[in-house]
């Protein structure tokens, strides 16, 4: 058997560069226990999993660029691309272009227009030039630094061929990130060999033209030299040519072939517990710096507020100027899915999933001055009985949008008086004063256009009502109607109506003038609609106030949903509830015991339990009791501190022992070490909490003892002090 010339040269080169081969090779099972490993170990573990899933996977030994071998992701695009917010602009005249009005004749000077266009083109050319320079600057900034070991940094990754589980083409998978890459990727510069559980193949092809130009057909022995003589069992041609009825004879002839097989796997079977699998990352957290992006990923339920991904985007390559922060959430009871904070506009946008009682799906507000900037709330209109789709509210303005309503109402605009400047004749109250309300309706083809209101305006301060009707078919004007409301003193059960309080325009030529009764009934209806609109506006204001208060509470005290099938979280909740019940029971028992405790009994027994005390004896007992209680609190704190220091040193010694013997220790001992470390860490946390609680409660307990002694002995102590 011959070894390829490329491999011999590479080994010599590595020795010249003092780059030694790996001195250990942990099994895939151990890698999953340790949750860490070198590139060849992680690649072998990933390849084992892929083979178990039916893929034709191989571990690749070759060469990669510096960023890959050191897992530098700062020049890699983030797997979470920024959202592209596109404004949907609809051309309202698209369906009626046939009837558009011709534009007037352009009488402007063509020379001046040409000069203006030249200036515009000049400015546009300068902007394009600046954009091109900025692009070149960014490319130069993102360019990796010079690497004197370029092409000589060995690396291990995984290759998946198309002969196993169906994939479209041969693909590389980087084990340190889990990301797939095409074979033509510039991240990898050469291949020396590949192997799996069946054989070991040495590459006989030249990789100078890139890995995308070589052939990955491992059956071709002129391009891939296999280490073991016999091919894998399912590749052997003799198996296909055997045409015998007796299976035993066929098997006997097969075993007579002169070949070598790969040794049996020496690794323990890979076993990943469900809790470890749900944890996703070591300690449940992984932080990665991508190109202009910082991504912090968390396993579900690791963060108390349900955050699973935090994405911080930056303007510069050095990641010093943040522009946007995106927080992704899961399992929230308030159905929160995402929060976006824009540094440029200082706006916060919250996105919700379906299922909220108020049907909110988006909430946008200013982070620093929410009262003076617009607040936008978007609803799922299908989940609301009123069809409300959007609210935009600010200090002196509010817009409401509705969809799919039976009354064809779709828009309301409310104008408020400036705070501190009420109109003449009005007094300012705790509610914002409404000046004007504008409402709009879609066309109702069941009634004539002259009777179908398109827009109605309630001018509250001017005490007027303005109506505009829809355009009739083929009409260029629309009917209007105006009403002037009587003075407040004249408003009562019976509204006075005269022709002087109304005026209007009829767009339809020859139409019958409206009778006074019709106008009176319309006036009464509009007065009622105005009251209904104001009442509805107040309801919307209350809903906005309640929603903002609810969001503040949900943000301060987030709650998470736990599935019935989530074994780990439900077990934690069950144990937590049992622990809480136990603490409540102990607290009740302690209260009962404390109620019957007599703190002065030991000191009275020293005096023979006299029926009465002298002032001197009472003062002495009080002083002794307080001194003993102080000493007890001090001794307890010292004892807890000693225990904490002892177990801290014990943990340090154990970690030092492991760092010295980690390469020689047995698997069972290593597993026991990690279990002991976890238990010691938990014990130290308990001691730390206990010490902090003792420090916080000592003063309160001392004050309680002082109050008790004052209640029992204060009259005698005061008498003793007066005698002195």
């Amino acid at each position: 058997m011959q070894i390829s010339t490329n491999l011999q040269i590479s080994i010599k080169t590595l020795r010249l560069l003092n780059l030694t081969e790996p001195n250990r090779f942990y099994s895939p099972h151990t890698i999953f226990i340790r949750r860490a490993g070198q590139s060849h170990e992680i690649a072998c573990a990933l390849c084992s999993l892929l083979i178990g899933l039916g893929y034709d996977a191989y571990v690749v030994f070759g060469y990669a660029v510096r960023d890959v071998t050191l897992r530098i992701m700062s020049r890699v695009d983030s797997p979470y691309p920024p959202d592209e917010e596109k404004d949907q602009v609809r051309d309202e005249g698209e369906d009626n272009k046939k009837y558009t009005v011709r534009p007037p004749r352009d009488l402007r000077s063509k020379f001046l227009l040409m000069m203006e266009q030249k200036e515009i083109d000049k400015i546009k050319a300068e902007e394009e030039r600046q954009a091109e320079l900025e692009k070149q600057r960014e490319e130069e900034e993102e360019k990796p630094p010079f690497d004197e070991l370029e092409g000589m940094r060995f690396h291990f990754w995984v290759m998946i061929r198309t002969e196993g589980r169906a994939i479209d083409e041969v693909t590389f998978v980087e084990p340190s990130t889990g990301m797939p890459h095409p074979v033509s990727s510039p991240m990898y510069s050469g291949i020396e060999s590949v192997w799996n559980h069946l054989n070991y193949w040495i590459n006989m092809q030249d990789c100078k033209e890139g890995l995308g130009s070589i052939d990955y057909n491992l059956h071709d022995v002129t391009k891939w030299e296999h280490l073991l003589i016999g091919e894998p069992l399912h590749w052997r041609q003799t198996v296909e040519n055997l045409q015998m009825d007796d299976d035993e004879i066929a098997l006997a002839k097969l075993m007579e072939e002169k070949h070598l097989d790969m040794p049996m796997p020496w690794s323990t079977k890979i076993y990943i517990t469900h809790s470890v699998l749900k944890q996703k990352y070591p300690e449940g957290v992984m932080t990665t710096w991508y190109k202009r992006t910082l991504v912090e990923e968390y396993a579900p339920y690791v963060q108390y507020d349900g955050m699973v991904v935090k994405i911080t985007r930056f303007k510069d390559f050095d990641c010093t100027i943040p522009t946007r922060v995106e927080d992704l959430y899961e399992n929230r009871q308030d159905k929160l899915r995402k929060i976006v904070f824009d540094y440029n506009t200082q706006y916060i946008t919250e996105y919700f999933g379906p299922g909220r009682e108020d049907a909110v799906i988006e909430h946008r507000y200013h982070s620093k001055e929410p009262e003076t900037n617009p607040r936008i709330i978007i609803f799922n209109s299908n989940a609301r009985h009123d069809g409300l789709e959007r609210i935009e509210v600010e200090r002196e303005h509010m817009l409401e949008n509705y969809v799919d309503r039976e009354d064809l109402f779709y828009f309301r605009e409310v104008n408020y008086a400036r705070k501190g400047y009420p109109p003449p004749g009005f007094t300012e109250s705790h509610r914002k004063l409404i000046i004007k309300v504008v409402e709009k309706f879609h066309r109702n083809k069941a009634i004539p256009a002259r009777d179908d209101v398109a827009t109605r305006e309630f001018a509250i301060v001017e005490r007027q009502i303005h109506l505009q009707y829809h355009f009739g078919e083929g009409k260029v004007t629309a009917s209007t109607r105006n009403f002037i409301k009587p003075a407040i003193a004249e408003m009562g059960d019976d509204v006075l109506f005269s022709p002087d309080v109304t005026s209007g325009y009829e767009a339809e030529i020859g139409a019958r003038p409206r009778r006074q009764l019709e106008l009176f009934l319309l006036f009464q209806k509009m007065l009622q609609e105005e009251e209904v609109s104001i009442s509805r506006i107040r309801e919307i204001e209350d809903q906005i106030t309640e929603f903002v208060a609810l969001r503040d509470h949900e943000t301060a005290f987030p709650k998470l949903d736990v599935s019935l099938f989530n074994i780990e979280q439900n077990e934690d909740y069950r144990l937590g509830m049992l622990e809480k019940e136990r603490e409540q029971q102990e607290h009740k028992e302690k209260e009962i015991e404390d109620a019957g405790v007599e703190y002065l009994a030991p000191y009275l027994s020293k005096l023979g339990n006299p029926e009465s005390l002298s002032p001197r004896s009472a003062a002495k007992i009080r002083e002794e009791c307080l001194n003993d209680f102080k000493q007890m609190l001090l001794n307890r704190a010292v004892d807890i501190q000693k225990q904490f220091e002892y177990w801290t040193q014990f943990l340090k010694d154990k970690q030092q022992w492991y760092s010295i013997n980690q390469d020689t220790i047995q698997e069972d001992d290593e597993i026991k070490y990690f279990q002991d470390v976890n238990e010691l860490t938990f014990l130290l946390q308990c001691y730390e909490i206990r010490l902090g609680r003792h420090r916080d409660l000592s003063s309160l307990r001392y004050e309680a003892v002082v109050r008790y002694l004052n209640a029992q002995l204060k009259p005698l102590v005061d008498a003793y002090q007066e005698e002195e």
Side-chain angles (χ1 to χ4, degrees), residues 215-229:
D215 186 7
Y216 292 93
N217 181 17
L218 301 182
H219 299 271
D220 191 346
V221 295
T222 61
K223 299 178 180 178
W224 294 91
E225 180 180 337
H226 52 273
L227 178 64
L228 301 181
I229 299 176

Side-chain angles (χ1 to χ4, degrees), residues 188-205:
Y188 308 103
S189 55
I191 294 179
E192 289 292 349
S193 59
V194 301
W195 79 86
N196 61 6
H197 63 298
L198 300 175
N199 211 327
Y200 190 99
W201 292 268
I202 300 174
N203 181 25
M204 307 293 292
Q205 305 171 77

Side-chain angles (χ1 to χ4, degrees), residues 395-396 416-424 426-433 435:
R395 178 174 292 178
E396 301 172 7
Y416 298 98
R418 291 180 57 189
K419 189 174 183 180
Y421 298 93
F426 289 85
T427 57
E428 194 170 11
S429 65
H430 67 284
R431 284 191 177 273
K432 293 189 290 186
L433 180 61
I435 296 179

Side-chain angles (χ1 to χ4, degrees), residues 391-405:
I391 295 177
E392 182 175 347
V393 60
E394 49 186 317
R395 178 174 292 178
E396 301 172 7
H397 203 69
M398 184 170 70
L399 298 177
E400 304 171 26
N401 294 91
Y402 297 82
V403 295
D404 300 331
R405 285 177 61 108

Side-chain angles (χ1 to χ4, degrees), residues 146-169:
F146 173 74
D147 185 13
E148 58 184 9
L149 300 179
E150 183 71 29
M152 294 183 290
R153 294 181 180 271
F154 64 83
H155 188 60
F156 296 82
W157 65 95
V158 175
M159 176 181 68
I160 305 178
R161 297 175 68 243
T162 58
E163 295 187 5
R165 199 168 177 176
I167 60 173
D168 297 334
E169 57 184 2

